[in-house]
Amino acid sequence: GAVVSQHPSWVICKSGTSVKIECRSLDFQATTMFWYRQFPKQSLMLMATSNEGSKATYEQGVEKDKFLINHASLTLSTLTVTSAHPEDSSFYICSAREPGQGNSPLHFGNGTRLTVT
Amino acid sequence: AQSVTQPDIHITVSEGASLELRCNYSYGATPYLFWYVQSPGQGLQLLLKYFSGDTLVQGIKGFEAEFKRSQSSFNLRKPSVHWSDAAEYFCAVGAPNDYKLSFGAGTTVTVRA
């Protein structure tokens, strides 16, 4: 079945540095990917929709200069947390849908645990 | 706007017993409905989905869910749980062909021996 891969699985960084998270669709091309954020014991909150070849669409309240999204190819979207602070510590999950598959559901990556010290 | 409510934050069930997780949604038309399961520190795995047609949907791992339009519900059931079913379960709703899903707060399932 379709697989979405995220890298890294976990990352620890110092406050003020930037961190890049990759999301890859391994056996299908994804024109659209989604980035979610999940706080401990809470649900997933959609951050942005990543569109191949165009700008990402951010949800209300999400700082686009803080969370840079690039979808340069049909199999790769990246999320860069810029000038990270401890409050950015969270679990970030990406998802993608196989295009042209009618009502195919979203496939999720295994997530990235970000800890900012 | 669409939204999902999962009334039960935490459910404990004995191994071999039946399980039912509640999900209520708010959406103006017939939504796309999903149940996902998440193990600790992992991403989400799709258990089942409803788009149209038969309101009783069969999924993986022995799970099923029933769409009830009159109650705006999409409850998840399993006749006999296994210890490996201990996880976090999320109900999600989306507009047809949109795929911007709204997730419920999740229900943590604990399975006791």
Side-chain angles (χ1 to χ4, degrees):
Chain A
V3 176
V4 174
S5 174
Q6 256 184 268
H7 178 80
S9 300
W10 57 270
V11 57
I12 301 173
C13 70
K14 292 186 177 181
S15 186
T17 61
S18 295
V19 174
K20 180 184 286 187
I21 302 170
E22 294 185 347
C23 179
R24 294 181 183 273
S25 55
L26 296 185
D27 53 2
F28 64 99
Q29 294 182 328
T31 55
T32 303
M33 292 184 175
F34 301 91
W35 286 96
Y36 290 85
R37 183 175 181 175
Q38 185 181 29
F39 290 102
K41 303 294 184 182
Q42 295 189 30
S43 187
L44 283 76
M45 300 299 296
L46 179 64
M47 298 175 65
T49 303
S50 173
N51 305 298
E52 188 271 334
S54 65
K55 291 182 178 180
T57 305
Y58 290 82
E59 296 300 303
Q60 190 173 8
V62 177
E63 300 177 60
K64 56 185 175 183
D65 294 330
K66 174 79 171 171
F67 299 100
L68 299 179
I69 292 173
N70 183 278
H71 196 153
S73 78
L74 287 170
T75 60
L76 174 64
S77 174
T78 61
L79 169 68
T80 301
V81 183
T82 63
S83 186
H85 289 97
E87 57 264 32
D88 298 324
S89 299
S90 192
F91 194 57
Y92 295 88
I93 308 176
C94 72
S95 67
R97 172 178 168 262
E98 295 179 71
Q101 290 294 316
N103 297 327
S104 62
L106 287 174
H107 300 285
F108 284 83
N110 281 336
T112 298
R113 171 74 60 195
L114 170 63
T115 301
V116 184
T117 60
Chain B
Q2 60 210 33
S3 66
V4 178
T5 302
Q6 291 181 246
D8 305 304
I9 297 174
H10 191 184
I11 287 180
T12 299
V13 61
S14 298
E15 190 169 16
S18 63
L19 173 69
E20 181 168 15
L21 303 182
R22 295 183 290 166
C23 172
N24 294 98
Y25 68 88
S26 175
Y27 184 70
T30 300
Y32 284 1
L33 295 161
F34 307 84
W35 274 100
Y36 286 89
V37 60
Q38 183 182 36
S39 297
Q42 299 292 314
L44 277 71
Q45 180 182 23
L46 178 69
L47 287 176
L48 47 79
K49 62 185 183 294
Y50 173 79
F51 292 148
S52 64
D54 192 345
T55 56
L56 185 61
V57 180
Q58 302 297 319
I60 62 171
K61 303 184 179 185
F63 285 93
E64 66 177 25
E66 186 171 12
F67 170 60
K68 292 186 177 180
R69 184 191 304 276
S70 61
Q71 299 178 18
S72 296
S73 69
F74 189 57
N75 295 348
L76 181 72
R77 298 191 293 260
K78 184 169 184 177
S80 177
V81 299
H82 186 263
W83 63 266
S84 60
D85 293 323
E88 187 83 12
Y89 291 80
F90 292 97
C91 181
V93 62
N97 298 315
D98 186 350
Y99 287 96
K100 287 177 66 174
L101 298 184
S102 295
F103 285 83
T107 298
T108 302
V109 173
T110 298
V111 181
R112 60 183 175 220

